[in-house]
Amino acid sequence: MGVRARAWALLGAGAGVLVGAAGPAGAAEGTPRADLSFHGSAVLTGDRVEVRLTPRDAGPAAVADASVRLRWSVPLAERQELPSACARTGERTVVCGTGALAAGRAGRTLALTVALRRAASEVTLEVEPAWNGGVSDPDRSNDRLKVLVLDTGDAYAF
């Protein structure tokens, strides 16, 4: 009996450079603190990846404006039809504005479909803040994600 994995595949939080402000050890006195996170799903079908993503700010401070970087493990097609809040920034990268994020609330859900240069059996999607509104975010474990998305037509949640 074959079992097909429909559950999500979260490969783990990545480490990296803090975007927009120093971390807790180097945070400027008086810098507002907020805890950004991203939740959503990705579906790979042939050469298309559909992504739905909702940003959240656990607070304590609100974020005046933020953006999220989406990076794929394979090159994107030259031609993309992206939402107005999104822009392609590299061969494998798209950045999307999330807008303002109220403390303790989810932001608006972002939905986009990207075209890959060619069909793939799997892709890795990396999600991380591109700009966090200049706040200090001491918990980086929930805003840098890597998701393995297989060409099953199933939604892989993160």
Side-chain angles (χ1 to χ4, degrees), residues 18-123:
L18 181 59
V19 179
E29 181 121 1
T31 300
R33 291 178 48 180
D35 184 14
L36 300 181
S37 62
F38 302 103
H39 304 281
S41 62
V43 178
L44 171 61
T45 307
D47 67 347
R48 300 263 187 246
V49 183
E50 296 176 37
V51 177
R52 293 186 58 80
L53 178 137
T54 304
R56 182 172 178 83
D57 175 10
V63 176
D65 193 19
S67 57
V68 62
R69 180 179 297 111
L70 306 170
R71 184 178 296 118
W72 285 266
S73 59
V74 299
L76 301 176
E78 290 300 317
R79 183 171 159 85
Q80 298 290 325
E81 293 184 29
L82 300 171
S84 61
C86 300
R88 185 168 179 176
T89 59
E91 181 183 51
R92 302 169 192 237
T93 309
V94 171
V95 172
C96 298
T98 65
L101 300 173
R105 301 190 130 175
R108 72 183 190 304
T109 298
L110 172 68
L112 71 142
T113 300
V114 295
L116 306 176
R117 191 169 291 164
R118 59 186 63 85
S121 61
E122 67 181 44
V123 297

Side-chain angles (χ1 to χ4, degrees), residues 8-16 38 40 42 53 69-73 123-129 140-149 156-158:
W8 55 281
L10 177 62
L11 297 178
F38 302 103
L53 178 137
R69 180 179 297 111
L70 306 170
R71 184 178 296 118
W72 285 266
S73 59
V123 297
T124 300
L125 169 61
E126 296 179 39
V127 179
E128 65 183 358
R140 302 313 307 265
S141 67
N142 58 359
D143 63 9
R144 295 183 178 285
L145 308 168
K146 286 186 181 183
V147 183
L148 176 64
V149 185
Y156 289 82
F158 55 91

